[in-house]
C-alpha cells in the first residue's frame, strides 16, 4: 500500500506537467453570407469558455489560438441570425455561413 501511495505521489507532478504542456493550436476561418457567399467583415466571433473575442477582417477571416481540444464558436452580426458551431482545434479554414434575418428593424 505504501509503495502504491509513493508511486502515485511521484507520478502526480509528472502527469500535471504533461497536462499543462499541451501545444497551442490555431483555428482559422471565414464568415460568409449564406445568401451570396460574400465575406462578412466586422462580424463578432466569440470563443465560448475563453475571454477571447475577434472581429472578422475585410475578407471575413478570423483566427484563434488555444490549448483546448475543442471550442464552441458564436458568430454575431447585425441583420443576420446568430450562429453557433463546435469545432475541433485540429480544424482549419472553417467556413461559417450566416443567414439573414427576416425581421425588419423597428423604429
Amino acid at each position: 500500500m505504501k509503495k502504491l501511495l509513493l508511486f502515485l505521489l511521484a507520478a502526480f507532478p509528472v502527469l500535471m506537467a504533461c497536462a499543462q504542456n499541451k501545444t497551442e493550436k490555431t483555428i482559422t476561418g471565414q464568415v460568409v453570407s449564406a445568401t451570396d457567399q460574400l465575406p462578412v467583415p466586422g462580424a463578432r466571433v466569440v470563443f465560448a469558455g475563453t475571454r477571447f473575442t475577434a472581429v472578422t477582417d475585410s475578407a471575413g477571416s478570423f483566427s484563434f489560438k488555444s490549448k483546448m481540444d475543442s471550442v464552441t464558436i458564436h458568430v454575431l452580426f447585425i441583420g443576420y441570425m446568430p450562429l453557433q458551431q463546435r469545432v475541433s482545434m485540429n480544424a482549419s479554414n472553417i467556413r461559417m455561413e450566416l443567414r439573414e434575418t427576416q425581421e425588419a428593424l423597428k423604429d
Side-chain angles (χ1 to χ4, degrees):
M1 183 67 175
K2 286 184 180 181
K3 288 183 182 180
L4 178 62
L5 183 59
L6 287 174
F7 174 75
L8 291 175
L9 288 173
F12 184 72
V14 174
L15 293 174
M16 291 303 294
C18 290
Q20 292 176 354
N21 286 334
K22 284 186 176 182
T23 57
E24 192 169 67
K25 300 175 186 173
T26 302
I27 286 181
T28 58
Q30 183 183 33
V31 178
V32 298
S33 170
T35 307
D36 53 17
Q37 300 299 305
L38 291 175
V40 180
R44 184 172 165 215
V45 183
V46 179
F47 302 90
T50 72
R51 295 182 182 195
F52 187 78
T53 300
V55 176
T56 57
D57 63 14
S58 60
S61 300
F62 65 89
S63 65
F64 169 67
K65 292 183 180 184
S66 176
K67 293 183 180 182
M68 298 169 34
D69 293 328
S70 63
V71 67
T72 300
I73 300 174
H74 300 270
V75 181
L76 307 160
F77 194 70
I78 294 173
Y80 292 88
M81 294 178 7
L83 177 64
Q84 177 178 319
Q85 183 176 339
R86 184 134 184 105
V87 296
S88 165
M89 288 305 289
N90 294 327
S92 61
N93 297 325
I94 300 162
R95 189 172 177 91
M96 302 187 76
E97 295 185 6
L98 291 180
R99 301 196 185 283
E100 293 181 18
T101 59
Q102 300 300 321
E103 298 178 20
L105 294 176
K106 297 177 182 176
D107 292 333

